[in-house]
Amino acid sequence: MQDQIKTTCPYCGVGCGIIAAPQPDGSTSIKGDPEHPANFGALCSKGSALGETLDLEGRLLAPQINGVASDWDNALNVVADTFNKTIAEHGPDSVAFYVSGQILTEDYYVANKLMKGFIGSANIDTNSRLCMASSVAGHRRAFGSDTVPGIYEDLELADVLVLVGSNLAWCHPVLYQRIVAAKNKRPEMKIVLIDPRRTMTADIADLHLAIAPDADVELFNGLFSHLFQHGAIDHDYINNYTNDFTDALDSARELDSEAVAQRTGLSLSELDVFYSLWAGTEKVVTLFSQGVNQSHSGTDKVNAIINCHLATGRIGKPGAGPFSITGQPNAMGGREVGGLANMLAAHMELENPHHRDVVQRFWGSPKIANKPGLKAVDMFDAVADGRIKAIWIMATNPVATMPDASAVENALKACPFVVVSDIMSHTDTTRHADVKLPSLGWGEKDGTVTNSERRISRQRAFLPAASSAKADWWQMAEVAKRMGFSSGFNFANAAAVFREYAAQTAFENNGTRDLDIGAYANISDKEYSQLSAFQWPQAKGQITEKIDKRFFAEGGFYTSDGKANFVAIHAPKQVAKTAEYPFTLNTGRTRDQWHTMTRTAKSPRLSSHIGEPFVEINGADAAALNIQNADIVRVYNARGSIIVRGLITERVKAGQVFVPMHFTDQISANARVDQLVAPLTDPISGQPALKSSTVMVERFPARHFGFVVSAQKPNVADLPYWTVARAQDGWRTELSTDQRIDDIEDFATRLLGLPSGYPLLLFRDHHSGLIRAAAFDGEKLIGALFIGTEPVAVSRNWAAERLGDSFTDLASRWRIVAGHPSANMPDKGAIICACMNVGINEITDALRAGNHTVASIAKVTCAGTNCGSCKAEIKVIIDGHTIIAAE
Ligand SMILES: Nc1nc2c(c(=O)[nH]1)N[C@H]1C(S)=C(S)[C@@H](COP(=O)(O)OP(=O)(O)OC[C@H]3O[C@@H](n4cnc5c(=O)[nH]c(N)nc54)[C@H](O)[C@@H]3O)O[C@H]1N2
Ligand SMILES: Nc1nc2c(c(=O)[nH]1)N[C@H]1C(S)=C(S)[C@@H](COP(=O)(O)OP(=O)(O)OC[C@H]3O[C@@H](n4cnc5c(=O)[nH]c(N)nc54)[C@H](O)[C@@H]3O)O[C@H]1N2
Ligand code: SF4
Ligand SMILES: [Mo]
């Protein structure tokens, strides 16, 4: 292996370039690639911590059939035979693939080819249905193709940047930092955030509109109407390049401004400030993400936004356009190869007979799917009711991330044949697999991904395979061959798959389709291995280093007449709250975890930012429900119930709560929020409304609250609330129970997995209910419990860091039990900067020493000097202290 390998981050759709360098001690050093045009060397906390996620602990290392290890030959034969038998008995639509925006383009290409071209069904869908489907549908309605018109540079060039339903500071941190830098250079640049919650992204916003949930259609229809009323319309653009303007305008004008104010929960003056800013600025980018897509009116929200850009001709120009930012590293690649059940391949359409013919001839395939397959929610319904009898799930964890997650889990339990390809052995989904197939993980696999600005980058292998793990595309191709389709699946390597895919994008294209990378159809294996990042399109003979290609400034849409469609959008019917379930359940992400945490939870650094599941609830609601800060609470509705920590905050408005999507049964007792999410979908895109279910919240009748640090993973299974997280030298656990703990010795030794009677240092104050216990093995601390009748106030990071210390005298041991830091064991407090491991106490110390700016605090503590995603939080701490000082 070479010393330094250029590759691409496996997390978000920013698609940062990384330089990975395996070290002699087995670790891997990770840094940003200064030459990569997405990040120019920067990385966020998750990207920086990749080196901590590459160990083999928990990896699936060999195929398993019904829980028993098997060789590949056997496992692949079982999969191929069962799929063949099922198809023979029940037809091609009785089988399905559910794949992921986290597989590589090559994997996706082979999976799609097998299902749509050889099995002859379109029952392949992907977690992109939960993520990007409304953007895809909105693009296709307006542009005739799923085209993202702009590029990242537009976000820096814009004079007004509107972020709709996007927590960019936490979810696309490097792009966020690029915008922060652009705004620092041009302070006149204005940023508007449209989000019901006041997220950390609000830190950069000149204007935050805390819109009522799902009122985005009304907001942008109101904007369209304002643009017309104030003469901000580009009539030339509309006449030359678009259809149906009048219908769309009429529908936008259905609500007057009072009605828009009422529906959006915004004041007339807030609306006027936003509308005037938008109308009066040529260079406007409207960037949108899951607050838009994950809604029952997601596609309409997308088109309401695009209508405003078409009406002003602000599209495809430097610093102007609608911009759908993608979530996963290869959401775009999946859309390109046609990984969605209603798409074909290479941006060709399933419902178009000419396209079907083109694809079938290109593949030389025996049959071709001729009707759309089942979209994710419908697919799992079909699994539940027995229409689908065999499903192959690859690189996604639907038991944790699909709406109505318990129904999905029951469907898999009942399904006759479930195959799961994953890198990890134990996930909420693999527990229901009949066959588990071990996949190569990041650093082991080879292929390409496409980021949010259509830039294709290589992921390269720099580590050996984890035991017998194999590439996802290889697994699909081997099964295809064993199903009898050998001719189409004899790929020697990932490069061969890529060449075929590139050729398909060019096949009989002649400028009729946006996606064309024909220039790469004949690249050699060596050229593929050296491929540097490039943006599409790159038609045959046109390889250029920097193309900055934008679409549609001068029309050229991929509709039958080349014109864009305005779409008439009507205000949607809202999800009704009831007296029983009076809260809107908003869900989403935290800064340092990735989805179901199978990789990020391995990193102690990342686990120290937010280490447990929580519900954010407004102070007024909490008071009415008698919930104190840090109480354990139950969030529930008719579908189910979860138990999480309560966080009282003014960041969410009354009547709304927010729960992160990350916590699974592997990490926490009962915090899978998707159990509570209704399987309501957008009627056009089929994307689930993941941010607007209704729930009730109540205090959990906790008798004890506890925090535990331990060298071994603790035995917590029988407690109603627990969450485990990685610490540097062990584990940290939050727990709570509604049962009395009478025998603390027994409780502690069982929890720590120690033989009964193991000596403990013990303190119990019967009056206050405080219990403290510590166990040592020689000089090492192997476990400490801090338990109280109220949430315990011990510093988590201080306690966790003690696991590595040597305790030679009794006094230092008692200090652990007391939960008090001493001078030589300083307490950092909760970690704010995960990259540089800086805690809140260090930041407040720096503040007290007279450092009142983010920059000066960075200088003395190093906080915020790597990825910078914590700068917003540091600013909040500074502001908080300034306010306290002023009181
Ligand atoms: N740290 C981290 N980063 C990630 C990921 C991760 O797991 N962790 N995942 C990646 C993936 S796959 C994705 S898709 C992206 C998602 O990136 P984002 O879309 O930025 O993230 P979310 O937190 O899902 O949701 C964004 C915001 O939508 C708001 N919202 C909810 N309802 C509405 C509404 O009706 N209208 C509006 N305007 N806003 C609303 C929420 O309050 C939330 O703050 O992040 C990517 N990046
Ligand atoms: N309530 C709620 N639910 C949501 C969302 C939300 O905002 N709110 N967001 C939705 C969105 S936008 C998304 S994208 C989804 C994400 O949801 P998922 O895709 O279900 O979540 P991940 O944890 O990313 O799952 C990836 C799985 O693939 C495995 N894996 C990692 N690398 C590889 C590999 O190379 N090959 C294979 N075969 N496996 C691999 C991981 O171990 C993990 O089990 O969640 C959706 N669900
Ligand atoms: S912003 Fe962070 S998570 Fe996203 S690609 Fe870059 S380093 Fe990876
Ligand atoms: Mo996503």
Side-chain angles (χ1 to χ4, degrees):
M1 293 263 166
Q2 288 160 264
D3 297 349
Q4 295 206 323
I5 306 289
K6 286 196 171 200
T7 182
T8 312
C9 179
Y11 297 127
C12 86
V14 177
C16 295
I18 283 181
I19 298 178
Q23 304 296 305
D25 67 358
S27 66
T28 300
S29 106
I30 298 286
K31 59 181 190 203
D33 177 356
E35 289 171 3
H36 196 285
N39 58 319
F40 302 104
L43 291 180
C44 77
S45 48
K46 293 181 296 304
S48 307
L50 271 165
E52 293 171 31
T53 65
L54 302 175
D55 62 275
L56 294 186
E57 196 182 315
R59 285 288 298 269
L60 179 61
L61 297 173
Q64 286 180 17
I65 303 173
N66 298 324
V68 180
S70 150
D71 59 27
W72 272 104
D73 209 35
N74 202 9
L76 293 165
N77 283 337
V78 168
V79 177
D81 291 348
T82 313
F83 268 75
N84 265 347
K85 232 183 261 158
T86 311
I87 293 165
E89 277 174 36
H90 306 282
D93 291 332
S94 65
V95 300
F97 296 162
Y98 182 61
V99 300
S100 160
Q102 294 172 69
I103 54 176
L104 304 171
T105 300
E106 291 73 4
D107 305 321
Y108 241 133
Y109 178 83
V110 176
N112 190 54
K113 182 176 182 182
L114 172 57
M115 185 53 85
K116 295 200 181 121
F118 286 77
I119 291 175
S121 165
N123 278 348
I124 170 169
D125 211 41
T126 139
N127 62 2
S128 283
R129 183 70 58 197
L130 317 179
C131 182
M132 304 314 305
S134 297
S135 282
V136 174
H139 287 156
R140 292 179 73 202
R141 280 207 298 193
F143 310 148
S145 59
D146 176 22
T147 313
V148 174
I151 58 177
Y152 289 163
E153 206 176 48
D154 296 328
L155 312 178
E156 297 162 322
L157 296 175
D159 292 328
V160 171
L161 173 62
V162 185
L163 307 173
V164 195
S166 154
N167 187 5
L168 209 68
W170 279 12
C171 295
H172 300 91
V174 166
L175 208 48
Y176 176 76
Q177 289 305 328
R178 280 179 63 170
I179 293 163
V180 171
K183 189 163 161 62
N184 284 341
K185 241 195 253 160
R186 285 192 306 120
E188 66 278 14
M189 174 182 183
K190 292 278 180 286
I191 296 178
V192 182
L193 175 67
I194 297 166
D195 192 314
R197 276 196 312 153
R198 188 169 179 80
T199 60
M200 282 298 161
T201 306
D203 177 52
I204 198 192
D206 299 279
L207 177 65
H208 170 220
L209 300 180
I211 190 173
D214 275 335
D216 305 80
V217 158
E218 290 88 335
L219 180 72
F220 282 90
N221 269 356
L223 172 62
F224 190 4
S225 168
H226 176 101
L227 293 170
F228 182 74
Q229 250 169 29
H230 292 79
I233 298 287
D234 182 340
H235 291 284
D236 286 344
Y237 192 90
I238 293 168
N239 293 337
N240 293 335
Y241 305 131
T242 71
N243 292 319
D244 303 332
F245 171 75
T246 316
D247 285 354
L249 179 64
D250 287 349
S251 63
R253 300 179 78 183
E254 280 166 4
L255 298 182
D256 61 15
S257 37
E258 275 76 23
V260 172
Q262 195 260 329
R263 296 270 189 116
T264 56
L266 302 169
S267 68
L268 285 172
S269 66
E270 279 177 307
L271 289 174
D272 193 57
V273 170
F274 171 53
Y275 290 170
S276 306
L277 195 62
W278 212 101
T281 314
E282 258 320 294
K283 290 189 172 177
V284 185
V285 171
T286 309
L287 175 147
F288 50 95
S289 185
Q290 300 314 342
V292 167
N293 293 336
Q294 289 173 344
S295 160
H296 65 299
S297 57
T299 309
D300 279 354
K301 291 186 187 187
V302 170
N303 287 106
I305 292 170
I306 292 175
N307 281 347
C308 295
H309 282 274
L310 291 174
T312 49
R314 294 174 190 161
I315 184 164
K317 296 180 182 151
F323 199 105
S324 149
I325 181 115
T326 50
Q328 300 179 87
N330 202 30
M332 290 282 267
R335 286 149 68 174
E336 288 155 17
V337 302
L340 291 161
N342 54 328
M343 307 282 285
L344 191 48
H347 277 199
M348 282 180 271
E349 290 166 358
L350 198 54
E351 56 273 29
N352 178 329
H354 170 63
H355 282 172
R356 289 203 300 272
D357 176 56
V358 171
V359 172
Q360 185 168 11
R361 279 187 289 107
F362 179 81
W363 279 339
S365 68
K367 47 185 151 189
I368 190 96
N370 59 8
K371 61 174 196 307
L374 294 171
K375 298 175 181 146
V377 170
D378 299 335
M379 181 181 276
F380 282 96
D381 279 350
V383 174
D385 67 25
R387 275 173 291 153
I388 289 175
K389 295 179 167 56
I391 186 166
W392 188 347
I393 296 166
M394 182 174 266
T396 177
N397 195 355
V399 170
T401 55
M402 282 282 294
D404 207 359
S406 303
V408 168
E409 176 154 44
N410 289 334
L412 290 181
K413 272 189 209 160
C415 184
F417 191 60
V418 177
V419 183
V420 180
S421 295
D422 206 289
I423 58 169
M424 302 304 286
S425 193
H426 300 289
T427 73
D428 290 359
T429 300
T430 60
R431 65 189 171 193
H432 302 297
D434 297 293
V435 177
K436 292 202 246 183
L437 300 176
S439 297
L440 294 178
W442 184 79
E444 300 158 6
K445 60 185 187 173
D446 241 325
T448 54
V449 290
T450 310
N451 75 1
S452 299
E453 60 163 357
R454 291 177 266 107
R455 191 178 297 283
I456 297 179
S457 297
R458 282 294 318 273
Q459 269 194 23
R460 292 188 173 87
F462 54 86
L463 294 171
S467 192
S468 66
K470 296 282 188 193
D472 290 310
W473 69 262
W474 181 89
Q475 299 174 22
M476 281 278 168
E478 284 303 307
V479 167
K481 286 190 251 181
R482 286 157 207 258
M483 288 177 77
F485 306 126
S486 51
S487 65
F489 296 90
N490 279 318
F491 299 108
N493 49 25
V497 182
F498 182 80
R499 280 189 291 270
E500 184 176 305
Y501 161 60
Q504 188 181 42
T505 65
F507 186 64
E508 299 182 9
N509 185 331
N510 307 319
T512 58
R513 307 191 300 265
D514 58 345
L515 172 63
D516 187 342
I517 55 164
Y520 295 88
N522 296 313
I523 62 169
S524 65
D525 288 0
K526 186 158 173 230
E527 285 164 329
Y528 180 77
S529 81
Q530 294 169 348
L531 192 67
S532 37
F534 71 94
Q535 249 173 326
W536 66 256
Q538 297 244 3
K540 208 174 167 73
Q542 279 184 4
I543 292 191
T544 35
E545 276 294 297
K546 187 167 173 5
I547 52 166
D548 291 353
K549 169 74 180 171
R550 296 175 174 90
F551 285 87
F552 311 141
E554 307 289 333
F557 293 93
Y558 295 91
T559 48
S560 51
D561 63 358
K563 290 186 171 186
N565 300 315
F566 277 94
V567 183
I569 305 292
H570 307 279
K573 216 170 141 234
Q574 298 300 359
V575 175
K577 293 199 225 178
T578 58
E580 213 178 346
Y581 304 119
F583 291 96
T584 302
L585 171 66
N586 185 359
T587 61
R589 293 154 170 82
T590 62
R591 191 188 77 191
D592 287 352
Q593 294 301 341
W594 179 261
H595 297 163
T596 66
M597 300 171 65
T598 62
R599 289 170 287 169
T600 41
K602 286 187 162 199
S603 159
R605 280 202 269 175
L606 297 180
S607 302
S608 61
H609 179 239
I610 294 175
E612 75 178 311
F614 59 87
V615 55
E616 286 182 345
I617 183 165
N618 181 277
D621 291 332
L625 295 165
N626 196 21
I627 293 170
Q628 310 287 318
N629 200 30
D631 261 345
I632 305 296
V633 297
R634 226 160 63 80
V635 184
Y636 66 96
N637 59 20
R639 266 165 231 292
S641 150
I642 59 171
I643 303 182
V644 298
R645 182 77 67 179
L647 287 185
I648 298 176
T649 169
E650 300 311 304
R651 289 182 173 274
V652 295
K653 288 188 146 186
Q656 303 174 21
V657 293
F658 176 86
V659 177
M661 64 168 292
H662 302 297
F663 292 84
T664 65
D665 295 353
Q666 314 299 314
I667 305 273
S668 194
N670 178 16
R672 258 189 306 138
V673 70
D674 273 302
Q675 292 173 94
L676 310 185
V677 174
L680 174 69
T681 57
D682 177 285
I684 300 148
S685 68
Q687 178 154 357
L690 297 167
K691 292 186 166 15
S692 58
S693 295
T694 54
V695 293
M696 184 55 187
V697 181
E698 70 181 18
R699 193 177 167 276
F700 175 76
R703 281 203 161 165
H704 301 279
F705 298 79
F707 175 68
V708 179
V709 295
S710 55
Q712 303 295 325
K713 205 170 178 176
N715 302 321
V716 280
D718 51 353
L719 293 169
Y721 178 72
W722 56 262
T723 303
V724 290
R726 267 279 177 208
Q728 197 59 47
D729 296 290
W731 299 84
R732 40 196 285 172
T733 304
E734 300 286 345
L735 59 85
S736 178
T737 174
D738 51 354
Q739 305 297 309
R740 268 177 73 100
I741 302 178
D742 284 322
D743 185 344
I744 181 62
E745 267 117 339
D746 178 58
F747 182 82
T749 46
R750 273 196 300 132
L751 193 82
L752 297 174
L754 300 171
S756 89
Y758 194 92
L760 299 170
L761 218 53
L762 202 66
F763 166 82
R764 179 164 203 169
D765 178 354
H766 284 283
H767 182 65
S768 67
L770 211 62
I771 303 171
R772 301 283 165 93
F776 295 84
D777 180 8
E779 291 180 0
K780 290 280 169 225
L781 175 69
I782 51 172
L785 282 70
F786 306 89
I787 293 176
T789 50
E790 290 178 356
V792 286
V794 68
S795 164
R796 273 49 179 171
N797 286 301
W798 170 80
E801 282 181 5
R802 303 288 73 79
L803 285 169
D805 288 355
S806 281
F807 292 83
T808 48
D809 60 284
L810 200 59
S812 65
R813 294 182 176 205
W814 273 111
R815 231 171 263 126
I816 291 294
V817 175
H820 288 316
S822 67
N824 60 353
M825 304 174 186
D827 172 19
K828 287 172 185 289
I831 297 297
I832 301 296
C833 172
C835 298
M836 310 308 283
N837 197 26
V838 185
I840 189 165
N841 293 349
E842 292 165 290
I843 292 170
T844 46
D845 284 351
L847 253 164
R848 284 197 202 96
N851 302 287
H852 290 291
T853 62
V854 175
S856 61
I857 287 179
K859 216 169 188 176
V860 293
T861 65
C862 289
T865 54
N866 184 42
C867 80
S869 10
C870 62
K871 283 182 183 164
E873 279 150 286
I874 298 174
K875 187 151 175 292
V876 170
I877 297 167
I878 299 171
D879 292 348
H881 274 253
T882 325
I883 293 162
I884 292 162
E887 272 168 355

